[in-house]
Amino acid sequence: MQFIDLKAQQKRIKSKIDQRIQSVLAHGKYIMGPEVFELEEKLADYVGVKNCISCASGTDALLIPLLAKNIGPGDAVITTPFTYIATAEVIALVGATPIFIDIYPETYNIDPGGIEKAVEEVKSKGLNLRAIIPVDLFGLPARYRMIEDLASQNNLFIIEDAAQGFGGEIRSKKAGSFGDVATTSFFPAKPLGCYGDGGAIFTDNDDLASIMRSIRVHGGGVDKYDNVRVGINGRLDTIQAAILLEKFNIFKEYEIELRNAVSDYYKSNLTKRYKTPHIPEGYMSSWAQFSILASSSLERSQIMKNLTDKKIPNVIYYRIPLHLQKVFKKLGYKKGDFPISEKIADQIFSIPMHPYLQKEQQNKIIEVLNNAKK
Ligand SMILES: Cc1ncc(COP(=O)(O)O)c(C=O)c1O
């Protein structure tokens, strides 16, 4: 059994992917070939925004808008401590200061109720609060109506980190369309993944889009060798775009539906012993992960051992919240600062979730979990 079964998916569309790759090899435009632009157009249309700027990774997708907004030393950016390192890493990388606020205990997404306190914290540190990066954790969009209200009151630029959330929705509005700019990742295990690294940025703001396209290729101006700003080598490879075009067809047609069928089955068959993910009314998750809570850290270890003994893959996302990681020690946070993130980190674990998980496999996982020794 696989945690995420990329082989089963490949089997389904192998000949189409082979054809797409062959076509890139035939035209030879390995950098910024026609597939890159075809993909950008299709993704922008799907998400419902004017611009999609593909790039080399989900991390670059976060870095590029920060650079485009000239966010740097002396600036602060709010985010969640319960996420993958990349979300906060890019803030530090541009020389700005990450300001963490806690999450909701039900969805594990950022709780915008913490913004007011963060505003005070930023003032007391003598910094300039510029932006917020909410994360669509495990596939579930964050609470954007409230985030957008509070961000506009505090003049904050919003970057939606939809690295895990591509395909999710709030009231039929797609992830990737919230905030001022949204980003995603095509890391192979993501809901829409390629066969290497890749990412994309979405925005309705044409001026910003043009700056971000320039930053993606070394800050180029009208002429390729006339550089007008500092940028990066952040392009998506044509071969990856070609692969994504085929994967995107099945993603939008049925993979999201299949993932939701697996999650519904888990939710209706796991006993009350486990807290399963809460999806607020009107929200849809793309199920990057299916994460559940054990009643304690000790119980979690025992349950995970049961799963491993039965050859069922299991992983902890995330064992250490970012404010307690060595890399961010100098920010001065301590244990107890974000109690909900810390508690969830002690109890959470993820079980196999992908569109090709067979019913017998789902039944086996449910049976092992429901009968796991305490
Ligand atoms: C929430 C979040 N943000 C950003 C990233 C970075 O994406 P990438 O690995 O494509 O750079 C990831 C990837 O795991 C992620 O989960």
Side-chain angles (χ1 to χ4, degrees):
M1 195 187 304
Q2 302 291 314
F3 192 64
I4 294 173
D5 197 344
L6 294 175
K7 278 216 174 110
Q9 183 198 49
Q10 193 191 91
K11 216 168 137 195
R12 188 166 197 143
I13 48 170
K14 182 148 188 340
S15 63
K16 289 184 175 162
I17 287 184
D18 284 347
Q19 273 172 29
R20 281 279 190 179
I21 293 175
Q22 285 307 321
S23 142
V24 175
L25 295 182
H27 69 54
K29 297 191 181 86
Y30 306 125
I31 301 290
M32 300 307 268
E35 287 80 0
V36 171
F37 301 101
E38 184 185 344
L39 179 74
E40 289 180 343
E41 207 169 295
K42 287 195 168 143
L43 296 185
D45 183 55
Y46 171 79
V47 165
V49 296
K50 281 156 75 183
N51 302 280
C52 168
I53 300 135
S54 62
C55 60
S57 69
T59 307
D60 280 357
L62 290 164
L63 179 63
I64 290 170
L66 290 172
L67 292 171
K69 291 296 286 181
N70 280 317
I71 292 174
D75 294 333
V77 179
I78 297 174
T79 193
T80 159
F82 197 64
T83 178
Y84 183 61
I85 183 68
T87 316
E89 176 185 52
V90 288
I91 301 169
L93 198 61
V94 297
T97 304
I99 302 289
F100 295 118
I101 63 177
D102 215 348
I103 55 171
Y104 284 115
E106 295 84 17
T107 61
Y108 322 132
N109 275 336
I110 199 164
D111 175 358
I115 292 177
E116 294 299 327
K117 211 172 127 216
V119 169
E120 293 311 311
E121 182 186 337
V122 170
K123 266 192 209 147
S124 77
K125 287 182 170 166
L127 298 167
N128 187 13
L129 186 55
R130 298 283 311 278
I132 180 167
I133 311 185
V135 175
D136 300 344
L137 199 75
F138 305 145
L140 180 71
R143 198 173 174 186
Y144 286 103
R145 214 154 47 178
M146 195 170 166
I147 292 168
E148 283 167 354
D149 277 355
L150 287 162
S152 86
Q153 283 169 34
N154 292 286
N155 202 17
L156 298 181
F157 184 77
I158 305 172
I159 303 176
E160 174 194 1
D161 181 349
Q164 303 179 12
F166 193 77
E169 293 178 10
I170 306 177
R171 292 172 281 274
S172 300
K173 193 173 181 314
K174 289 266 190 305
S177 69
F178 298 102
D180 297 288
V181 161
T183 67
T184 197
S185 163
F186 303 130
F187 182 81
K190 292 289 190 271
L192 176 63
C194 57
Y195 292 157
D197 276 308
I201 307 167
F202 300 93
T203 187
D204 271 327
N205 182 330
D206 294 337
D207 293 337
L208 198 60
S210 130
I211 296 172
M212 295 194 292
R213 283 198 180 94
S214 157
I215 292 173
R216 168 176 67 177
V217 192
H218 300 292
V222 180
D223 181 273
K224 194 172 156 186
Y225 297 107
D226 160 33
N227 300 86
V228 295
R229 56 176 65 80
V230 171
I232 60 173
N233 176 356
R235 295 169 296 227
L236 178 72
D237 291 344
T238 308
I239 285 196
Q240 297 302 344
I243 292 161
L244 281 164
L245 280 165
E246 286 310 323
K247 298 231 302 182
F248 178 58
N249 283 336
I250 53 169
F251 175 81
K252 67 175 196 297
E253 271 163 27
Y254 44 78
E255 285 191 345
I256 284 283
E257 221 167 280
L258 292 174
R259 284 169 181 272
N260 274 281
V262 174
S263 72
D264 287 348
Y265 196 68
Y266 275 152
K267 279 178 152 218
S268 42
N269 288 289
L270 284 169
T271 59
K272 295 240 166 346
R273 176 175 172 189
Y274 300 100
K275 194 172 163 230
T276 54
H278 171 67
I279 308 300
E281 183 73 36
Y283 281 57
M284 195 183 86
S285 176
S286 57
W287 298 108
Q289 304 297 342
F290 192 90
S291 305
I292 55 182
L293 298 189
S295 63
S296 67
S297 170
L298 184 64
E299 196 200 19
R300 174 176 68 182
S301 310
Q302 280 155 349
I303 293 163
M304 289 178 74
K305 185 174 179 312
N306 274 261
L307 289 167
T308 305
D309 287 348
K310 296 276 172 16
K311 300 195 165 37
I312 297 171
N314 53 90
V315 184
I316 297 177
Y317 299 113
Y318 296 96
R319 194 188 287 274
I320 312 174
L322 297 187
H323 67 289
L324 300 178
Q325 301 237 3
K326 187 175 167 198
V327 57
F328 289 133
K329 202 159 180 237
K330 67 170 187 290
L331 295 177
Y333 293 110
K334 58 183 188 316
K335 202 164 169 60
D337 282 347
F338 305 107
I340 300 170
S341 298
E342 292 169 24
K343 183 170 183 294
I344 302 297
D346 276 347
Q347 293 173 250
I348 204 159
F349 65 104
S350 304
I351 56 176
M353 163 54 79
H354 59 82
Y356 306 100
L357 201 62
Q358 303 298 315
K359 231 343 145 345
E360 315 89 79
Q361 295 176 314
Q362 295 172 49
N363 284 334
K364 180 175 169 192
I365 295 163
I366 289 162
E367 191 202 314
V368 173
L369 282 170
N370 285 346
N371 297 318
K373 285 194 206 78
K374 291 208 177 186

